[in-house]
Amino acid sequence: AQSVAQPEDQVNVAEGNPLTVKCTYSVSGNPYLFWYVQYPNRGLQFLLKYITGDNLVKGSYGFEAEFNKSQTSFHLKKPSALVSDSALYFCAVSSFSGGYNKLIFGAGTRLAVHP
Amino acid sequence: GAGVSQSPSNKVTEKGKDVELRCDPISGHTALYWYRQSLGQGLEFLIYFQGNSAPDKSGLPSDRFSAERTGGSVSTLTIQRTQQEDSAVYLCASSFTRAGGQSSYEQYFGPGTRLTVT
């Protein structure tokens, strides 16, 4: 069975400092990995994905994530955090079995960036 | 262009009543997904549509839940005889279908419908 773990309920970072939001996954076959962000009273916004190729993927708003197959991790990173990055972040995995993207989400990590 | 829209944005209903939640996907997106976001269960997949057919209904939690899609566009999620545990935010997402029939990887989400069962 597929699963995603986000071990931190909340991450606190000072503005201008680098941030990391952790994600580990379990999936049979090749993983398709995603990060989404949710602002209050809004739907989920796509940030980035790993399908194949380079382990470091770059996405929207200056975010990037590194795929590590041996550690089954896909941590989200940003070199310099902004207060406006404060939101709820979800990691998701799919096996893309059947040719569609049934996403299995982690529990979410709340990122708080302090001025 | 317009994104995924959902209506109503908020719905309060009494236990035992039926509710209908609507999703308008992005024009041209043939793949449509429903998810549920609740405090106890997090984000859960409910159902997937390709066109008007639903090849994966595996996430529907009980037979009180059903969904349909007409004209390959609008989808309605119906919950019959609502229970308090149905209280959640119901999210709809759509994606386009690539050449060869596979769904694209990115899903575009609507703002959700917050359902409260009293």
Side-chain angles (χ1 to χ4, degrees), chain A residues 32 34 36 38 41-46 48-49 51 88 90 94 96-107, chain B residues 33 35 37 42-45 48 55-56 58-59 91 98 101-112 114:
Chain A
Y32 296 76
F34 304 82
Y36 282 83
Q38 186 176 37
N41 300 314
R42 303 274 295 277
L44 275 69
Q45 294 181 32
F46 170 78
L48 50 79
K49 67 180 185 290
I51 304 301
L88 188 56
F90 290 95
S94 168
F96 214 69
S97 172
Y100 64 98
N101 212 5
K102 177 179 175 179
L103 294 174
I104 306 300
F105 286 92
Chain B
Y33 304 78
Y35 295 86
Q37 184 175 20
L43 266 161
E44 309 169 277
F45 166 85
Y48 158 69
D56 190 342
S58 63
L91 294 167
R98 298 176 291 155
Q102 286 194 335
S103 172
S104 70
Y105 301 117
E106 297 87 357
Q107 293 179 27
Y108 298 86
F109 283 79
R114 182 175 297 277

Side-chain angles (χ1 to χ4, degrees), chain A residues 42-44, chain B residues 1-7 22-29 31-34 69 73-75 90-96 106-113:
Chain A
R42 303 274 295 277
L44 275 69
Chain B
V4 178
S5 61
Q6 293 186 245
S7 60
R22 177 186 169 108
C23 171
D24 282 89
I26 293 172
S27 178
H29 281 194
L32 186 147
Y33 304 78
W34 283 97
R69 191 177 184 196
S73 181
V74 172
S75 177
Y90 290 82
L91 294 167
C92 175
S94 70
S95 63
F96 65 88
E106 297 87 357
Q107 293 179 27
Y108 298 86
F109 283 79
T113 293

